Amino acid sequence: MKKKSILITGGTGKLGRCFATHFAKNGWNVVITSTNEERASKFIKSFSCDQNITFFISDLSQPNAANSLIKKINA
């Protein structure tokens, strides 16, 4: 069975952490974006090794940031 995937922008914010935690604990592949690499790294380290959660540093308020993020995710 193929795992479901979800992209959560602002994944290290209050709501983003709640959503990311919920989906990761329920077996989803979770991709989060954050503008703060240190905060994202600390958050991801709180998960067990068997949960698939990755992050990308991205400020989606910047021009072309969404296109750049898509390219990074697909790489």
Side-chain angles (χ1 to χ4, degrees), residues 14-46:
K14 289 180 183 180
L15 291 175
R17 286 192 311 264
C18 290
F19 291 134
T21 300
H22 168 79
F23 286 105
K25 288 183 177 180
N26 285 286
W28 288 55
N29 293 317
V30 179
V31 177
I32 65 170
T33 64
S34 179
T35 57
N36 186 301
E37 186 169 0
E38 182 179 346
R39 192 168 50 213
S41 292
K42 286 181 181 178
F43 176 59
I44 289 173
K45 287 178 184 176
S46 70

